[in-house]
Amino acid sequence: MKVKPYRIGIVDIGSNSIRLVIYDTTPDGGYKIIKEYKHSARLSAKINEQGSLDKNEMYRIVPILKQFRQVCNTFGVDTIRAGATAAIRNATNSQEIIEFLSKESSIDITLVSGEEEAYFGFLGVINSFDIEDGFIVDIGGGSTEITLFENRNFKKSVSLPFGAVNTNVEFGNDGNWNEEEILNLRQYVLSMLEEHEWMQSRPQLPLFGLGGTIRSLGKIDQKDTRYSMPISHGYTLTTDSVDQLYNILPSLPLEKRKQINGLSKSRADIIVSGLIIVHTVYHYIQAKHCLISGEGLREGMLHDLINPAQSVKPSTLDYSINTLLTFEAEGSRAHLDHVYKLSDTLYETLRSDGDSEEHKKLLYVSIMLYHIGSHINYYQYNRHTHYWIMNSSIRGLTHREIILCALIASYNTKSRKQKLSQEHQDIIFASDEEWIHKLGSLVQLCIALDQSETQAVKAIDTETANKTLHLTVLSDVETWIEQEEMDSVAKVFKSAWDLKLKINFASIS
Protein backbone atom coordinates (compact mmCIF):
# COMPACT_ATOMS: atom_id res chain seq x y z
CA MET A 1 0.00 0.00 0.00
CA LYS A 2 1.35 3.40 -0.97
CA VAL A 3 1.94 5.96 1.77
CA LYS A 4 -0.35 8.98 1.64
CA PRO A 5 1.70 11.89 0.24
CA TYR A 6 2.22 15.07 2.21
CA ARG A 7 0.16 17.81 0.57
CA ILE A 8 1.49 21.38 0.26
CA GLY A 9 -0.17 24.50 -1.11
CA ILE A 10 2.01 27.29 -2.50
CA VAL A 11 0.39 30.71 -2.86
CA ASP A 12 2.33 33.13 -5.08
CA ILE A 13 1.10 36.72 -4.88
CA GLY A 14 2.94 38.13 -7.88
CA SER A 15 2.96 41.46 -9.64
CA ASN A 16 0.95 40.16 -12.59
CA SER A 17 -1.00 37.22 -11.17
CA ILE A 18 -1.97 35.46 -7.95
CA ARG A 19 -1.69 31.68 -8.03
CA LEU A 20 -2.39 28.69 -5.86
CA VAL A 21 -0.66 25.42 -6.71
CA ILE A 22 -1.31 22.29 -4.65
CA TYR A 23 1.40 19.62 -4.69
CA ASP A 24 1.57 16.06 -3.44
CA THR A 25 5.10 15.53 -2.12
CA THR A 26 7.42 12.73 -1.02
CA PRO A 27 9.94 12.81 1.87
CA ASP A 28 12.88 13.00 -0.56
CA GLY A 29 11.47 16.09 -2.27
CA GLY A 30 9.52 14.59 -5.14
CA TYR A 31 6.25 16.24 -6.08
CA LYS A 32 3.43 16.40 -8.57
CA ILE A 33 0.81 19.10 -9.14
CA ILE A 34 -2.76 18.09 -8.36
CA LYS A 35 -4.49 21.49 -8.65
CA GLU A 36 -3.70 25.00 -9.88
CA TYR A 37 -5.61 28.28 -9.96
CA LYS A 38 -4.57 31.62 -11.40
CA HIS A 39 -6.06 35.12 -11.13
CA SER A 40 -4.67 37.94 -13.25
CA ALA A 41 -4.49 40.74 -10.68
CA ARG A 42 -1.99 43.13 -12.33
CA LEU A 43 -0.98 44.49 -8.91
CA SER A 44 1.98 46.41 -10.34
CA ALA A 45 -0.39 48.54 -12.38
CA LYS A 46 -2.50 49.31 -9.28
CA ILE A 47 0.20 50.95 -7.20
CA ASN A 48 -0.79 54.62 -6.87
CA GLU A 49 1.34 57.72 -7.44
CA GLN A 50 2.43 57.69 -3.79
CA GLY A 51 3.82 54.18 -4.29
CA SER A 52 1.23 52.45 -2.12
CA LEU A 53 -1.66 50.05 -2.64
CA ASP A 54 -5.03 51.53 -1.71
CA LYS A 55 -7.27 49.77 0.80
CA ASN A 56 -9.91 49.26 -1.91
CA GLU A 57 -7.39 47.32 -3.99
CA MET A 58 -6.45 45.24 -0.95
CA TYR A 59 -10.11 44.32 -0.42
CA ARG A 60 -10.30 43.12 -4.06
CA ILE A 61 -7.61 40.52 -3.33
CA VAL A 62 -9.21 39.15 -0.16
CA PRO A 63 -12.00 37.04 -1.80
CA ILE A 64 -9.42 35.33 -4.01
CA LEU A 65 -7.21 34.42 -1.06
CA LYS A 66 -10.20 33.35 1.03
CA GLN A 67 -11.28 30.91 -1.66
CA PHE A 68 -7.69 29.66 -1.98
CA ARG A 69 -7.84 28.90 1.75
CA GLN A 70 -11.16 27.09 1.24
CA VAL A 71 -9.74 25.03 -1.63
CA CYS A 72 -6.75 24.03 0.51
CA ASN A 73 -9.09 22.90 3.28
CA THR A 74 -11.19 20.86 0.84
CA PHE A 75 -8.11 19.18 -0.66
CA GLY A 76 -6.69 18.35 2.75
CA VAL A 77 -3.57 20.48 2.37
CA ASP A 78 -1.17 19.86 5.26
CA THR A 79 0.90 23.04 4.91
CA ILE A 80 0.39 26.34 3.08
CA ARG A 81 3.33 28.55 2.16
CA ALA A 82 2.40 31.97 0.80
CA GLY A 83 4.75 34.65 -0.49
CA ALA A 84 4.27 38.11 -1.95
CA THR A 85 6.83 39.43 -4.43
CA ALA A 86 7.74 42.70 -6.15
CA ALA A 87 4.46 44.62 -6.39
CA ILE A 88 3.82 44.38 -2.66
CA ARG A 89 7.51 44.31 -1.71
CA ASN A 90 8.13 47.65 -3.43
CA ALA A 91 4.97 49.32 -2.11
CA THR A 92 5.51 51.97 0.57
CA ASN A 93 2.85 50.31 2.74
CA SER A 94 4.07 46.73 2.18
CA GLN A 95 3.88 45.71 5.84
CA GLU A 96 0.32 47.01 6.13
CA ILE A 97 -0.68 45.01 3.04
CA ILE A 98 0.87 41.79 4.36
CA GLU A 99 -0.75 42.11 7.77
CA PHE A 100 -4.15 42.98 6.30
CA LEU A 101 -4.20 40.15 3.74
CA SER A 102 -2.91 37.59 6.26
CA LYS A 103 -5.60 38.49 8.79
CA GLU A 104 -8.49 38.67 6.32
CA SER A 105 -7.62 35.47 4.45
CA SER A 106 -6.39 33.37 7.41
CA ILE A 107 -3.26 32.60 5.36
CA ASP A 108 0.14 33.42 6.84
CA ILE A 109 1.72 35.52 4.06
CA THR A 110 5.38 36.50 4.06
CA LEU A 111 7.18 39.15 2.04
CA VAL A 112 9.68 37.55 -0.36
CA SER A 113 12.82 39.68 -0.70
CA GLY A 114 14.48 40.22 -4.08
CA GLU A 115 17.37 37.97 -3.08
CA GLU A 116 14.97 35.23 -1.91
CA GLU A 117 12.99 35.51 -5.13
CA ALA A 118 16.17 35.02 -7.16
CA TYR A 119 17.21 32.06 -4.99
CA PHE A 120 13.82 30.36 -5.26
CA GLY A 121 13.94 30.83 -9.03
CA PHE A 122 17.40 29.24 -9.05
CA LEU A 123 16.10 26.21 -7.10
CA GLY A 124 13.27 25.79 -9.59
CA VAL A 125 15.68 25.85 -12.54
CA ILE A 126 18.57 23.82 -11.13
CA ASN A 127 16.25 20.98 -10.12
CA SER A 128 14.64 20.79 -13.56
CA PHE A 129 17.78 20.82 -15.75
CA ASP A 130 20.99 18.78 -15.56
CA ILE A 131 23.24 21.78 -16.16
CA GLU A 132 26.34 23.01 -14.34
CA ASP A 133 26.63 26.71 -15.25
CA GLY A 134 24.25 29.35 -16.53
CA PHE A 135 22.33 32.58 -16.05
CA ILE A 136 18.69 32.87 -15.05
CA VAL A 137 16.37 35.75 -15.91
CA ASP A 138 13.00 35.86 -14.15
CA ILE A 139 10.76 38.57 -15.59
CA GLY A 140 7.78 39.20 -13.38
CA GLY A 141 5.21 41.95 -13.48
CA GLY A 142 7.12 44.35 -11.23
CA SER A 143 10.70 43.09 -11.02
CA THR A 144 13.35 41.17 -12.91
CA GLU A 145 15.79 38.85 -11.15
CA ILE A 146 19.06 37.90 -12.82
CA THR A 147 21.14 35.08 -11.34
CA LEU A 148 24.48 33.45 -12.14
CA PHE A 149 25.07 29.85 -11.03
CA GLU A 150 28.25 27.80 -11.36
CA ASN A 151 28.83 24.09 -10.66
CA ARG A 152 25.12 23.87 -9.73
CA ASN A 153 25.70 26.40 -6.94
CA PHE A 154 24.00 29.78 -6.51
CA LYS A 155 26.71 32.39 -7.22
CA LYS A 156 25.33 35.93 -7.64
CA SER A 157 21.97 37.59 -8.16
CA VAL A 158 20.28 40.95 -8.37
CA SER A 159 16.63 42.00 -8.25
CA LEU A 160 15.88 44.99 -10.47
CA PRO A 161 12.72 47.12 -10.09
CA PHE A 162 11.30 46.67 -13.58
CA GLY A 163 8.97 44.03 -14.97
CA ALA A 164 6.54 43.48 -17.82
CA VAL A 165 3.62 45.26 -16.12
CA ASN A 166 5.16 48.34 -14.50
CA THR A 167 7.36 49.16 -17.51
CA ASN A 168 4.36 48.82 -19.81
CA VAL A 169 2.58 51.41 -17.65
CA GLU A 170 5.58 53.74 -17.53
CA PHE A 171 6.96 53.45 -21.07
CA GLY A 172 4.21 51.93 -23.22
CA ASN A 173 1.33 53.72 -24.88
CA ASP A 174 -1.64 51.48 -24.01
CA GLY A 175 0.23 48.60 -25.60
CA ASN A 176 1.04 50.50 -28.82
CA TRP A 177 4.75 51.24 -28.93
CA ASN A 178 6.75 53.58 -31.14
CA GLU A 179 10.50 53.53 -31.76
CA GLU A 180 11.24 56.22 -29.18
CA GLU A 181 9.36 54.37 -26.42
CA ILE A 182 11.13 51.12 -27.28
CA LEU A 183 14.52 52.85 -27.16
CA ASN A 184 13.70 54.60 -23.87
CA LEU A 185 12.84 51.32 -22.14
CA ARG A 186 15.88 49.61 -23.62
CA GLN A 187 18.18 52.37 -22.36
CA TYR A 188 16.54 52.29 -18.93
CA VAL A 189 17.09 48.54 -18.60
CA LEU A 190 20.64 48.79 -19.95
CA SER A 191 21.56 51.56 -17.49
CA MET A 192 20.70 49.25 -14.60
CA LEU A 193 22.46 46.22 -16.08
CA GLU A 194 25.67 48.22 -16.53
CA GLU A 195 25.90 48.63 -12.76
CA HIS A 196 26.63 44.89 -12.46
CA GLU A 197 29.84 43.92 -14.26
CA TRP A 198 29.58 40.27 -13.18
CA MET A 199 26.79 39.82 -15.74
CA GLN A 200 29.41 40.02 -18.51
CA SER A 201 31.88 37.72 -16.75
CA ARG A 202 30.68 34.49 -18.37
CA PRO A 203 29.77 34.97 -22.05
CA GLN A 204 28.22 32.12 -24.07
CA LEU A 205 26.48 30.48 -21.13
CA PRO A 206 22.86 29.38 -21.56
CA LEU A 207 20.24 31.77 -20.23
CA PHE A 208 17.28 30.13 -18.47
CA GLY A 209 14.10 32.14 -18.74
CA LEU A 210 11.31 32.19 -16.15
CA GLY A 211 7.91 33.82 -16.20
CA GLY A 212 4.97 34.36 -18.51
CA THR A 213 6.88 36.59 -20.95
CA ILE A 214 9.46 33.91 -21.75
CA ARG A 215 6.88 31.14 -21.99
CA SER A 216 4.76 33.23 -24.36
CA LEU A 217 7.75 34.01 -26.59
CA GLY A 218 8.53 30.29 -26.73
CA LYS A 219 4.97 29.42 -27.73
CA ILE A 220 4.99 32.05 -30.47
CA ASP A 221 8.26 30.67 -31.83
CA GLN A 222 6.99 27.08 -31.64
CA LYS A 223 3.87 27.97 -33.61
CA ASP A 224 5.89 29.92 -36.15
CA THR A 225 8.32 27.05 -36.77
CA ARG A 226 5.60 24.35 -36.54
CA TYR A 227 7.54 22.67 -33.79
CA SER A 228 6.31 19.09 -33.34
CA MET A 229 6.33 19.01 -29.52
CA PRO A 230 3.81 21.20 -27.65
CA ILE A 231 6.02 21.47 -24.55
CA SER A 232 7.42 24.76 -23.25
CA HIS A 233 9.85 23.51 -20.62
CA GLY A 234 13.24 22.91 -22.20
CA TYR A 235 12.39 24.65 -25.47
CA THR A 236 15.34 26.63 -26.89
CA LEU A 237 15.07 30.14 -28.22
CA THR A 238 18.10 30.82 -30.41
CA THR A 239 19.72 34.21 -30.86
CA ASP A 240 18.05 34.50 -34.26
CA SER A 241 14.65 33.75 -32.71
CA VAL A 242 15.11 36.32 -29.93
CA ASP A 243 16.17 38.96 -32.48
CA GLN A 244 13.35 38.12 -34.88
CA LEU A 245 10.71 38.43 -32.14
CA TYR A 246 12.23 41.76 -31.08
CA ASN A 247 12.18 43.07 -34.64
CA ILE A 248 8.55 42.09 -35.27
CA LEU A 249 6.38 42.22 -32.12
CA PRO A 250 6.94 45.80 -30.88
CA SER A 251 6.03 47.30 -34.25
CA LEU A 252 2.64 45.55 -34.36
CA PRO A 253 -0.43 47.43 -33.08
CA LEU A 254 -2.03 45.90 -29.98
CA GLU A 255 -5.05 44.57 -31.91
CA LYS A 256 -2.82 42.73 -34.39
CA ARG A 257 -0.72 41.35 -31.56
CA LYS A 258 -3.86 39.79 -30.09
CA GLN A 259 -4.16 37.67 -33.23
CA ILE A 260 -0.67 36.15 -32.99
CA ASN A 261 -0.70 32.38 -32.80
CA GLY A 262 0.64 31.25 -29.43
CA LEU A 263 0.06 34.55 -27.60
CA SER A 264 -2.88 34.87 -25.21
CA LYS A 265 -4.97 38.01 -25.60
CA SER A 266 -4.54 38.79 -21.90
CA ARG A 267 -0.77 39.15 -22.38
CA ALA A 268 -0.78 40.96 -25.71
CA ASP A 269 -0.35 44.39 -24.09
CA ILE A 270 2.60 43.51 -21.79
CA ILE A 271 4.46 41.14 -24.11
CA VAL A 272 6.40 44.00 -25.73
CA SER A 273 7.78 45.42 -22.49
CA GLY A 274 8.74 41.92 -21.37
CA LEU A 275 10.35 41.20 -24.74
CA ILE A 276 12.42 44.39 -24.62
CA ILE A 277 13.72 43.33 -21.20
CA VAL A 278 14.53 39.80 -22.43
CA HIS A 279 16.29 41.05 -25.54
CA THR A 280 18.37 43.60 -23.63
CA VAL A 281 19.43 41.13 -20.92
CA TYR A 282 20.13 38.38 -23.48
CA HIS A 283 22.59 40.49 -25.45
CA TYR A 284 24.13 42.22 -22.43
CA ILE A 285 25.22 38.92 -20.86
CA GLN A 286 26.11 37.54 -24.35
CA ALA A 287 24.02 34.41 -23.86
CA LYS A 288 24.51 31.31 -26.00
CA HIS A 289 20.76 30.68 -26.23
CA CYS A 290 17.68 30.92 -24.03
CA LEU A 291 16.10 27.81 -22.51
CA ILE A 292 12.55 28.10 -21.21
CA SER A 293 11.99 26.78 -17.70
CA GLY A 294 8.50 25.76 -16.67
CA GLU A 295 9.61 25.65 -13.04
CA GLY A 296 10.70 28.64 -11.00
CA LEU A 297 9.64 30.59 -7.93
CA ARG A 298 6.82 28.35 -6.70
CA GLU A 299 8.79 25.13 -7.17
CA GLY A 300 11.78 26.82 -5.51
CA MET A 301 9.62 27.73 -2.51
CA LEU A 302 8.52 24.10 -2.41
CA HIS A 303 12.08 22.69 -2.56
CA ASP A 304 13.17 25.09 0.16
CA LEU A 305 10.24 24.10 2.35
CA ILE A 306 10.59 20.31 1.96
CA ASN A 307 14.34 20.03 2.43
CA PRO A 308 16.14 23.37 2.94
CA ALA A 309 19.46 21.71 3.81
CA GLN A 310 19.57 19.70 0.55
CA SER A 311 17.40 21.72 -1.78
CA VAL A 312 19.68 21.22 -4.84
CA LYS A 313 19.48 17.72 -6.28
CA PRO A 314 22.80 16.27 -7.53
CA SER A 315 21.11 14.69 -10.56
CA THR A 316 17.90 16.17 -11.93
CA LEU A 317 17.23 13.10 -14.06
CA ASP A 318 17.58 10.58 -11.22
CA TYR A 319 15.41 12.77 -9.02
CA SER A 320 12.76 13.08 -11.73
CA ILE A 321 12.68 9.34 -12.49
CA ASN A 322 12.44 8.44 -8.81
CA THR A 323 9.54 10.87 -8.42
CA LEU A 324 7.66 9.40 -11.38
CA LEU A 325 8.17 5.87 -10.10
CA THR A 326 7.00 6.85 -6.62
CA PHE A 327 3.77 8.40 -7.85
CA GLU A 328 2.94 6.44 -10.98
CA ALA A 329 4.66 3.07 -11.27
CA GLU A 330 2.95 -0.23 -10.44
CA GLY A 331 5.94 -2.55 -10.94
CA SER A 332 8.86 -3.64 -8.80
CA ARG A 333 11.89 -1.35 -8.50
CA ALA A 334 14.07 -4.45 -7.94
CA HIS A 335 12.93 -5.71 -11.37
CA LEU A 336 13.73 -2.40 -13.07
CA ASP A 337 17.17 -2.13 -11.44
CA HIS A 338 17.96 -5.71 -12.43
CA VAL A 339 16.90 -5.15 -16.06
CA TYR A 340 19.06 -2.01 -16.24
CA LYS A 341 22.03 -3.92 -14.80
CA LEU A 342 21.63 -6.58 -17.50
CA SER A 343 21.35 -3.91 -20.20
CA ASP A 344 24.61 -2.34 -19.03
CA THR A 345 26.41 -5.66 -19.48
CA LEU A 346 24.94 -6.20 -22.94
CA TYR A 347 25.55 -2.65 -24.12
CA GLU A 348 29.22 -2.77 -23.13
CA THR A 349 29.58 -5.89 -25.26
CA LEU A 350 27.75 -4.42 -28.25
CA ARG A 351 28.98 -0.83 -28.26
CA SER A 352 31.52 0.28 -30.83
CA ASP A 353 33.99 3.16 -30.92
CA GLY A 354 32.20 6.48 -31.11
CA ASP A 355 28.98 5.27 -29.50
CA SER A 356 27.74 7.99 -27.20
CA GLU A 357 27.35 7.86 -23.42
CA GLU A 358 23.95 9.32 -24.19
CA HIS A 359 22.86 5.80 -25.12
CA LYS A 360 23.25 4.69 -21.51
CA LYS A 361 21.06 7.56 -20.39
CA LEU A 362 18.42 6.57 -22.95
CA LEU A 363 18.59 2.94 -21.80
CA TYR A 364 18.27 3.97 -18.16
CA VAL A 365 15.18 6.12 -18.67
CA SER A 366 13.55 3.70 -21.12
CA ILE A 367 13.96 0.73 -18.80
CA MET A 368 12.85 2.58 -15.68
CA LEU A 369 9.69 3.78 -17.42
CA TYR A 370 8.94 0.98 -19.92
CA HIS A 371 6.05 -0.37 -17.85
CA ILE A 372 4.61 2.93 -16.65
CA GLY A 373 1.82 2.73 -19.22
CA SER A 374 0.29 -0.16 -17.28
CA HIS A 375 -0.83 2.47 -14.77
CA ILE A 376 -3.45 3.29 -17.42
CA ASN A 377 -4.08 -0.25 -18.67
CA TYR A 378 -1.96 -3.40 -18.43
CA TYR A 379 -2.91 -4.49 -21.92
CA GLN A 380 -1.12 -2.63 -24.72
CA TYR A 381 0.90 -0.82 -22.06
CA ASN A 382 3.56 -0.03 -24.70
CA ARG A 383 1.17 2.37 -26.41
CA HIS A 384 0.24 4.01 -23.11
CA THR A 385 3.92 4.21 -22.10
CA HIS A 386 4.73 6.14 -25.28
CA TYR A 387 2.01 8.69 -24.55
CA TRP A 388 3.00 8.91 -20.88
CA ILE A 389 6.67 9.65 -21.55
CA MET A 390 5.84 12.21 -24.23
CA ASN A 391 3.56 14.08 -21.84
CA SER A 392 5.16 13.60 -18.42
CA SER A 393 7.46 15.96 -16.57
CA ILE A 394 10.77 14.16 -17.08
CA ARG A 395 13.35 16.72 -16.05
CA GLY A 396 16.97 16.39 -17.12
CA LEU A 397 16.17 15.35 -20.70
CA THR A 398 16.15 17.45 -23.86
CA HIS A 399 13.07 17.33 -26.08
CA ARG A 400 14.96 15.08 -28.47
CA GLU A 401 15.88 12.69 -25.66
CA ILE A 402 12.26 12.58 -24.47
CA ILE A 403 11.14 11.52 -27.97
CA LEU A 404 13.85 8.86 -28.19
CA CYS A 405 13.01 7.45 -24.75
CA ALA A 406 9.31 7.29 -25.64
CA LEU A 407 10.10 5.32 -28.80
CA ILE A 408 12.68 3.04 -27.17
CA ALA A 409 10.59 2.30 -24.06
CA SER A 410 7.47 1.48 -26.12
CA TYR A 411 9.37 -0.65 -28.66
CA ASN A 412 7.82 -4.04 -29.45
CA THR A 413 8.06 -6.87 -31.96
CA LYS A 414 5.96 -4.92 -34.49
CA SER A 415 8.29 -1.92 -34.37
CA ARG A 416 11.21 -3.34 -36.31
CA LYS A 417 9.81 -2.66 -39.78
CA GLN A 418 8.38 0.78 -38.99
CA LYS A 419 9.80 4.26 -39.49
CA LEU A 420 9.35 5.36 -35.89
CA SER A 421 10.87 8.84 -35.93
CA GLN A 422 8.93 10.33 -38.83
CA GLU A 423 6.63 12.54 -36.74
CA HIS A 424 9.51 14.46 -35.17
CA GLN A 425 11.97 14.97 -38.01
CA ASP A 426 12.35 18.63 -36.99
CA ILE A 427 13.84 17.62 -33.62
CA ILE A 428 15.74 14.35 -33.87
CA PHE A 429 18.87 13.48 -35.86
CA ALA A 430 18.97 11.38 -39.01
CA SER A 431 21.10 8.78 -37.21
CA ASP A 432 18.60 8.40 -34.38
CA GLU A 433 16.29 6.04 -36.29
CA GLU A 434 18.91 3.28 -36.31
CA TRP A 435 19.54 3.67 -32.58
CA ILE A 436 15.85 3.61 -31.72
CA HIS A 437 15.72 0.09 -33.19
CA LYS A 438 19.01 -1.00 -31.63
CA LEU A 439 18.30 0.28 -28.13
CA GLY A 440 14.61 -0.63 -28.33
CA SER A 441 15.40 -4.25 -29.16
CA LEU A 442 18.08 -4.32 -26.47
CA VAL A 443 15.56 -3.14 -23.88
CA GLN A 444 13.11 -5.83 -25.00
CA LEU A 445 15.81 -8.50 -24.70
CA CYS A 446 16.70 -7.41 -21.17
CA ILE A 447 13.06 -7.30 -20.11
CA ALA A 448 12.72 -10.86 -21.43
CA LEU A 449 15.65 -11.87 -19.22
CA ASP A 450 13.52 -10.98 -16.19
CA GLN A 451 10.06 -11.57 -17.65
CA SER A 452 8.88 -13.20 -14.43
CA GLU A 453 10.11 -10.15 -12.45
CA THR A 454 11.66 -12.53 -9.90
CA GLN A 455 15.32 -12.00 -10.87
CA ALA A 456 15.49 -15.71 -11.76
CA VAL A 457 18.37 -14.89 -14.12
CA LYS A 458 21.17 -14.03 -11.73
CA ALA A 459 23.78 -12.95 -14.27
CA ILE A 460 24.78 -13.15 -17.93
CA ASP A 461 28.02 -13.70 -19.82
CA THR A 462 28.31 -12.19 -23.30
CA GLU A 463 30.64 -12.50 -26.25
CA THR A 464 30.40 -11.57 -29.93
CA ALA A 465 32.01 -13.65 -32.67
CA ASN A 466 31.22 -14.41 -36.30
CA LYS A 467 28.18 -12.12 -36.46
CA THR A 468 26.71 -13.86 -33.42
CA LEU A 469 26.02 -12.71 -29.87
CA HIS A 470 26.73 -15.63 -27.56
CA LEU A 471 24.64 -15.13 -24.45
CA THR A 472 25.07 -17.41 -21.45
CA VAL A 473 22.25 -17.08 -18.95
CA LEU A 474 23.09 -18.09 -15.38
CA SER A 475 20.40 -19.14 -12.92
CA ASP A 476 19.76 -21.40 -9.95
CA VAL A 477 15.99 -21.69 -10.43
CA GLU A 478 13.52 -22.40 -13.23
CA THR A 479 13.57 -19.88 -16.08
CA TRP A 480 11.01 -21.26 -18.53
CA ILE A 481 9.09 -17.94 -18.58
CA GLU A 482 12.28 -16.10 -19.58
CA GLN A 483 13.20 -18.73 -22.16
CA GLU A 484 9.87 -18.47 -23.95
CA GLU A 485 9.97 -14.69 -24.05
CA MET A 486 13.56 -14.57 -25.31
CA ASP A 487 12.67 -16.79 -28.23
CA SER A 488 10.10 -14.19 -29.33
CA VAL A 489 12.52 -11.22 -29.20
CA ALA A 490 15.51 -12.94 -30.85
CA LYS A 491 14.27 -12.08 -34.35
CA VAL A 492 13.75 -8.43 -33.44
CA PHE A 493 17.24 -8.24 -31.96
CA LYS A 494 18.85 -9.78 -35.07
CA SER A 495 17.04 -7.33 -37.34
CA ALA A 496 18.27 -4.32 -35.37
CA TRP A 497 21.87 -5.35 -34.61
CA ASP A 498 22.53 -7.68 -37.57
CA LEU A 499 23.66 -10.28 -35.04
CA LYS A 500 22.35 -13.80 -34.59
CA LEU A 501 21.44 -14.48 -30.98
CA LYS A 502 22.69 -17.78 -29.53
CA ILE A 503 21.47 -18.39 -25.99
CA ASN A 504 22.81 -20.96 -23.53
CA PHE A 505 21.01 -21.49 -20.24
CA ALA A 506 23.38 -22.64 -17.52
CA SER A 507 22.75 -23.59 -13.93
CA ILE A 508 24.70 -22.05 -11.08
CA SER A 509 25.83 -24.94 -8.89
Side-chain angles (χ1 to χ4, degrees), residues 28-31 127-130 233 295 303 313 315-328 333 364-365 368-369 372 392-397 402:
D28 62 351
Y31 62 87
N127 289 318
S128 57
F129 291 92
D130 269 328
H233 181 85
E295 299 185 7
H303 287 299
K313 313 301 179 188
S315 168
T316 296
L317 182 59
D318 287 343
Y319 159 68
S320 183
I321 294 297
N322 288 335
T323 297
L324 280 171
L325 292 177
T326 299
F327 282 117
E328 312 296 353
R333 182 61 189 261
Y364 167 67
V365 176
M368 290 298 154
L369 300 182
I372 204 163
S392 293
S393 299
I394 307 176
R395 303 314 190 205
L397 295 179
I402 289 172

Side-chain angles (χ1 to χ4, degrees), residues 48-59:
N48 62 30
E49 292 180 358
Q50 289 73 44
S52 64
L53 189 68
D54 294 335
K55 206 62 172 271
N56 287 339
E57 296 296 345
M58 293 187 215
Y59 274 111

Side-chain angles (χ1 to χ4, degrees), residues 100-126:
F100 175 81
L101 294 180
S102 296
K103 180 181 178 182
E104 293 295 321
S105 67
S106 300
I107 297 175
D108 184 18
I109 302 167
T110 59
L111 204 59
V112 179
S113 70
E115 184 175 335
E116 287 174 325
E117 189 169 358
Y119 179 66
F120 292 148
F122 159 74
L123 290 181
V125 169
I126 205 66

Side-chain angles (χ1 to χ4, degrees), residues 342-392:
L342 296 173
S343 78
D344 194 49
T345 301
L346 275 165
Y347 182 75
E348 287 302 320
T349 301
L350 295 168
R351 71 180 297 174
S352 57
D353 292 340
D355 288 354
S356 170
E357 281 299 309
E358 182 187 51
H359 293 157
K360 285 194 175 184
K361 182 199 294 189
L362 298 176
L363 283 171
Y364 167 67
V365 176
S366 300
I367 287 170
M368 290 298 154
L369 300 182
Y370 89 90
H371 208 255
I372 204 163
S374 64
H375 192 72
I376 300 173
N377 192 327
Y378 177 82
Y379 298 102
Q380 295 185 316
Y381 69 79
N382 303 70
R383 178 162 57 91
H384 303 310
T385 289
H386 180 273
Y387 176 84
W388 197 283
I389 293 176
M390 288 294 292
N391 293 278
S392 293

